[in-house]
Amino acid sequence: MTTHTPEELGCLAGGPARAAEVALARLIQAGLVRVSREGVLSAVHVPGTGPATTLEAQILSSLRHGRHLNDVIHGAFSSAEAAGLRAHLINRRLLRRRRSLRPRLYPWLFMLAPLLMVAGVLNAVAPELQREFVPQLPEFPFWYFFAAAAAVFVLGSVLAVRDPGRLRTRAGYVLMKRAQRRVNAHDPVGAVAVHGLRGRIGGLAIAGMFGLSALVVGTLPGRDSTGSSSCGGGCSSSSCSSGGGDGGSSCGGGCGGGGGD
């Protein structure tokens, strides 16, 4: 059975910034990173314990001197390690290389359907208008327009359901939704992957599980999603994009909504 790491799930759910939050959370949980009252992070040497992923290693290497949370996350999600994570997800067919055109297509289909309905009504009520304004158009029975409108509406609905996330493939979307259903407060790192450090689960602030205050977490980069620079729910060509919904601005939030192939 194929397994997926919390960082991969984080990138799918919220992009590279979310993956960076996951890596940092795991390091804090393992005792490899200490958080001061002022929100300054510093690396801690623990004999026999080290980073489990390249992104964790990148974060630890950046903490040779104390740094604030937002600087750590920003440096991690814009790193080569985050770009490598996105490439890995592309190879596993969980992300697309480029943004899907389907989410930009189906809104136009929803606009076209009522226009076809209106054309059908006019064709039934006043067919002479068609001959007057569009004489070169062959005469169709009015029900052709209604049938075309229904077909266009169904096509738009299918695209809207199958591809809401732009950069995530259908497999990536299904994986992310499955993780959202299974996450619980007994898996803090998994909770970060699905909801981010800003999120809550079971009435608990996820950041508090790692000793991070609301004030410190408030300095994190803004909520991301499937925008042009995010993963799933959107990724740029140079970053691992998706958490959030379909309208964010960074890969951290958009590994982003899932989509169909």
Side-chain angles (χ1 to χ4, degrees):
M1 180 178 178
T2 304
T3 58
H4 309 280
T5 68
E7 283 182 13
E8 291 171 347
L9 292 174
C11 192
L12 287 173
R18 179 70 60 79
E21 291 181 18
V22 172
L24 176 61
R26 216 287 304 180
L27 291 171
I28 294 175
Q29 187 181 62
L32 292 170
V33 169
R34 179 188 298 117
V35 185
S36 72
R37 293 181 180 177
E38 295 75 25
V40 176
L41 310 181
S42 56
V44 177
H45 175 68
V46 179
T49 304
T53 67
T54 57
L55 193 56
E56 289 184 10
Q58 190 279 334
I59 290 176
L60 276 183
S61 66
S62 72
L63 291 177
R64 293 170 183 166
H65 305 287
R67 299 181 67 190
H68 288 283
L69 176 64
N70 61 323
D71 295 330
V72 174
I73 297 299
H74 187 276
F77 82 68
S78 59
S79 66
E81 289 78 7
L85 177 58
R86 178 179 183 270
H88 174 68
L89 292 174
I90 289 174
N91 291 336
R92 297 184 65 175
R93 301 183 183 277
L94 298 173
L95 287 179
R96 300 185 182 94
R97 293 187 181 276
R98 297 178 181 85
R99 182 188 302 276
S100 170
L101 293 177
R102 295 176 192 172
R104 288 180 251 183
L105 173 62
Y106 66 75
W108 291 100
L109 294 178
F110 288 138
M111 294 175 62
L112 177 60
L115 292 178
L116 288 171
M117 293 286 291
V118 172
V121 171
L122 290 177
N123 185 270
V125 175
E128 64 278 1
L129 290 178
Q130 174 186 316
R131 292 191 293 270
E132 179 179 350
F133 291 101
V134 195
Q136 69 276 17
L137 185 68
E139 292 189 22
F140 296 108
F142 71 91
W143 61 267
Y144 274 34
F145 293 93
F146 296 128
V152 167
F153 182 81
V154 169
L155 176 60
S157 299
V158 170
L159 292 179
V161 170
R162 286 184 56 81
D163 201 0
R166 294 178 174 83
L167 284 175
R168 280 187 294 256
T169 65
R170 182 63 179 173
Y173 179 71
V174 170
L175 172 62
M176 184 199 68
K177 300 304 287 186
R178 185 183 301 128
Q180 289 177 339
R181 291 192 297 267
R182 294 179 177 178
V183 69
N184 57 69
H186 300 292
D187 179 16
V189 174
V192 175
V194 173
H195 299 293
L197 286 172
R198 292 173 179 264
R200 302 181 69 86
I201 186 168
L204 300 174
I206 294 175
M209 301 177 182
F210 300 93
L212 298 171
S213 68
L215 183 62
V216 171
V217 174
T219 66
L220 284 171
R223 180 185 178 94
D224 311 330
S225 72
T226 59
S228 61
S229 62
S230 66
C231 234
C235 279
S236 68
S237 60
S238 62
S239 65
C240 167
S241 57
S242 193
D246 280 343
S249 60
S250 88
C251 215
C255 235
D261 278 325

